[in-house]
Amino acid sequence: MSLDIHMPFKLFASCLPVRGASRSAICDTQRQELHLIPNELYDLLQQYDGGKISTILDQYDEENAATVVEYFEFLYDKELIFFTPVPESFPPISLVYESPVRITNAIIDTDPSHARLPWRRMAAQLSALGCGHLEIRCFSACSVAYFIDVLRYFDDTRIRSIDLIMRYTYDSDATISFLLAEFPRVTGICFHGSPDEGSSHEGKVVYLRQLITGSDHCGIISPGYFAINIKMFA
């Protein structure tokens, strides 16, 4: 289907545009995809969503109009917009997010060289509070075997996903594979201070040269760590 420039268009409600300093993005929260777009297109979407492409083209000369058509062909090909004679029937999605639990997520910092944390008690308390997502961070040298021991305390809890952040030490691929298979709650492992950058195990394991030195560090900046869903957006 070619663009119907005389039919009103709408962004899908789950596709949320975000303006940046030099370029913008559309967050497809349903498919969990991120699409980068020029700021000019962001402005057009903000002004004309629910309108007709022909109305936009009337404001441009032939050369620039062709660029605008390319913008909207991109949006249509990526299934970010649709055409409808009744755009008013498709209101924007609500960005109000409420959770029935007292704590949705938590972070625990650990160091094997210091006193052992009360893992069993912490796991029970987080589960009682309804915490569903946990990040465990280690800034010093720490083996995967250490985390294998820790993760067993969360087997019978309400926690649904666990991310691990640990300083890089050489661990065999078999050990990492065992951890991921034994503990399906583990949704991601990040090794910081790695000699090389990359990923493995279908993107679940990420290696970063960046060294995370403490809780006051600015954090991990990596495209793979952007969560694109309505809970994080709202």
Side-chain angles (χ1 to χ4, degrees):
M1 175 182 175
S2 60
L3 293 179
D4 187 345
I5 64 172
H6 300 293
M7 175 78 74
F9 73 89
K10 284 288 295 182
L11 268 171
F12 281 100
S14 59
C15 298
L16 305 172
V18 180
R19 200 180 203 285
S22 59
R23 60 180 175 176
S24 299
I26 297 177
C27 301
D28 187 337
T29 59
Q30 182 173 340
R31 294 177 173 171
Q32 298 190 7
E33 295 176 347
L34 186 70
H35 302 277
L36 298 176
I37 61 172
N39 283 341
E40 181 185 13
L41 178 53
Y42 171 90
D43 293 337
L44 292 174
L45 291 173
Q46 291 297 104
Q47 185 174 355
Y48 293 103
D49 186 33
K52 301 176 182 178
I53 298 175
S54 59
T55 303
I56 302 174
L57 297 180
D58 289 341
Q59 304 178 49
Y60 290 87
D61 58 33
E62 184 175 348
E63 181 179 352
N64 289 319
T67 300
V68 172
V69 170
E70 290 179 3
Y71 287 164
F72 281 90
E73 286 177 340
F74 166 80
L75 296 175
Y76 186 74
D77 289 343
K78 296 297 183 180
E79 297 183 335
L80 302 174
I81 62 170
F82 64 98
F83 294 93
T84 173
V86 285
E88 64 277 5
S89 297
F90 299 92
I93 195 169
S94 173
L95 295 181
V96 176
Y97 173 71
E98 297 179 350
S99 174
V101 302
R102 297 182 65 182
I103 295 179
T104 59
N105 52 76
I107 298 175
I108 299 176
D109 291 341
T110 181
D111 188 335
S113 65
H114 293 171
R116 183 175 178 83
L117 294 174
W119 289 105
R120 187 184 304 279
R121 188 173 68 203
M122 290 192 299
Q125 290 175 344
L126 288 173
S127 183
L129 291 168
C131 181
H133 310 283
L134 175 64
E135 182 177 272
I136 304 176
R137 306 184 302 191
C138 184
F139 307 116
S140 58
C142 181
S143 68
V144 171
Y146 170 80
F147 279 95
I148 290 176
D149 180 49
V150 166
L151 288 169
R152 297 195 187 282
Y153 292 105
F154 297 92
D155 278 346
D156 298 316
T157 67
R158 296 169 67 183
I159 292 174
R160 298 191 301 275
S161 69
I162 301 176
D163 281 338
L164 305 178
I165 297 178
M166 65 184 84
R167 187 165 181 171
Y168 175 84
T169 57
Y170 175 77
D171 282 284
S172 70
D173 186 71
T175 303
I176 298 172
S177 296
F178 171 80
L179 184 151
L180 292 172
E182 184 75 5
F183 305 100
R185 284 182 175 86
V186 175
T187 53
I189 304 175
C190 175
F191 290 99
H192 61 93
S194 171
D196 299 298
E197 295 207 351
S199 62
S200 64
H201 298 80
E202 299 181 341
K204 284 189 174 182
V205 181
V206 177
Y207 298 89
L208 298 177
R209 291 193 182 95
Q210 181 184 6
L211 186 63
I212 311 300
T213 56
S215 58
D216 57 345
H217 196 278
C218 66
I220 300 170
I221 308 299
S222 172
Y225 268 67
F226 283 95
I228 305 168
N229 56 61
I230 195 62
K231 289 190 292 186
M232 297 301 293
F233 195 96

